[in-house]
Amino acid sequence: MDGNGRWAQQRGLPRIEGHRVGADSVRDVTRASRELGIQALTLYAFSSQNWARPADEVAGLMDLLRDYLLSERSEIMDNGIRLFAIGDVDKLPPRVTEPLHALLADSAANRGMILTLALSYGGRESITRAIRALARDVAAGLLPAESIDLDRISAYLPTHELPPLDLLIRTSGEQRVSNFLLWEIAYAELMFIDTPWPDFRRAQLHECLAQYGGRERRFGLTSQQLSDADV
Ligand code: FPP
């Protein structure tokens, strides 16, 4: 969800205003995704590296997250959305973890769509944590080292309950992944679009999905193999 800061600065506003309008995009895109029947939507809301931002911006983002969790609670519950979180969430302040843990627990049985917030999240941090847990289980004799394969590694990642990642969209013109879902993007379609996140609403999501529909996902196979498998 990149480009909030620049969006605000271009309008002579403090950066936090960009995040505030960005939170409105979160609401619109989540609602649209639910209506479209998307199974899982994951939003990169705060990275492990974002802690190093100016203290007032971090505090403002934490306030926005808290407001969001409180204000969206009924919409999430009424629409059968399951809220999920990945990242080092225990680093977040209690004013965020309290409503977060409550909504994670209360929405756990919802089956409509999984809305995952990546909070204090880093892809490399997440892989490191998985390797540490795997090493611990091997050392404890719970797991032979030979059993470590792609599926086993996936199972130790926090995303293991999510469906395979199909599409990753980065807004605001930067063409990099910035430590997001590094393992999971292996065969995802990547889309880099110029619109800054505060201007990214359902219309832009529809455009991205239309473009996605035109892509051929080959997963290492040839086009011929894919069309043969279709018939
Ligand atoms: C990146 O833009 C965005 C963030 C670090 C925060 C994203 C947070 C929100 C959209 C609002 C709160 C979240 C939820 C789920 C309600 P940037 O600040 O790096 O933009 P820039 O590159 O233009 O400076």
Side-chain angles (χ1 to χ4, degrees):
M1 299 192 285
D2 195 19
N4 296 344
R6 277 166 288 161
W7 182 94
Q9 281 164 337
Q10 281 159 10
R11 288 163 177 76
L13 300 169
R15 290 177 57 84
I16 197 66
E17 279 309 310
H19 296 310
R20 203 183 310 283
V21 178
D24 293 337
S25 296
V26 167
R27 293 183 178 93
D28 195 43
V29 167
T30 303
R31 197 168 296 155
S33 301
R34 176 73 182 102
E35 287 165 15
L36 288 163
I38 287 173
Q39 238 186 308
L41 172 70
T42 302
L43 300 169
Y44 202 3
F46 195 82
S47 76
S48 308
Q49 288 68 34
N50 287 154
W51 290 114
R53 290 197 172 198
D56 61 336
E57 185 171 339
V58 173
L61 278 167
M62 294 303 135
D63 291 342
L64 282 178
L65 281 167
R66 176 183 167 81
D67 292 350
Y68 172 82
L69 291 164
L70 296 174
S71 68
E72 295 312 289
R73 187 188 163 84
S74 55
E75 169 121 11
I76 285 176
M77 295 307 293
D78 292 350
N79 286 287
I81 295 172
R82 176 182 173 199
L83 186 75
F84 193 59
I86 54 174
D88 200 354
V89 290
D90 292 330
K91 276 180 105 174
L92 301 166
R95 68 182 190 282
V96 177
T97 51
E98 279 161 17
L100 176 66
H101 286 307
L103 198 46
L104 291 175
D106 295 347
S107 69
N110 291 350
R111 290 289 168 264
M113 176 177 90
I114 305 185
L115 170 63
T116 303
L117 299 181
L119 295 167
S120 190
Y121 173 86
R124 292 200 291 197
E125 285 78 358
S126 162
I127 293 169
T128 305
R129 218 171 293 132
I131 292 173
R132 200 181 299 131
L134 264 168
R136 216 179 280 131
D137 286 352
V138 170
L142 298 170
L143 206 66
E146 294 67 32
S147 74
I148 298 174
D149 56 13
L150 297 179
D151 288 341
R152 181 76 70 182
I153 293 174
S154 297
Y156 276 73
L157 288 170
T159 47
H160 70 271
E161 286 183 61
L162 301 181
L165 183 62
D166 291 318
L167 172 62
L168 180 141
I169 303 169
R170 182 179 184 138
T171 54
S172 94
E174 308 293 355
Q175 304 207 356
R176 52 176 175 263
V177 172
S178 298
N179 207 12
F180 192 45
L181 300 175
L182 297 181
W183 176 270
E184 295 82 352
I185 57 173
Y187 283 99
E189 293 298 319
L190 306 185
M191 217 167 267
F192 299 100
I193 63 158
D194 289 334
T195 309
W197 177 254
D199 290 334
F200 189 96
R201 300 295 166 103
R202 62 180 57 221
Q204 288 70 27
L205 176 68
H206 290 157
E207 275 172 37
C208 289
L209 293 173
Q211 257 198 59
Y212 170 81
R215 297 219 184 156
E216 184 187 49
R217 303 187 70 194
R218 292 196 292 275
F219 299 96
L221 302 180
T222 65
S223 287
Q224 186 63 52
Q225 284 175 301
L226 292 173
S227 47
D228 289 351
D230 270 349
V231 283

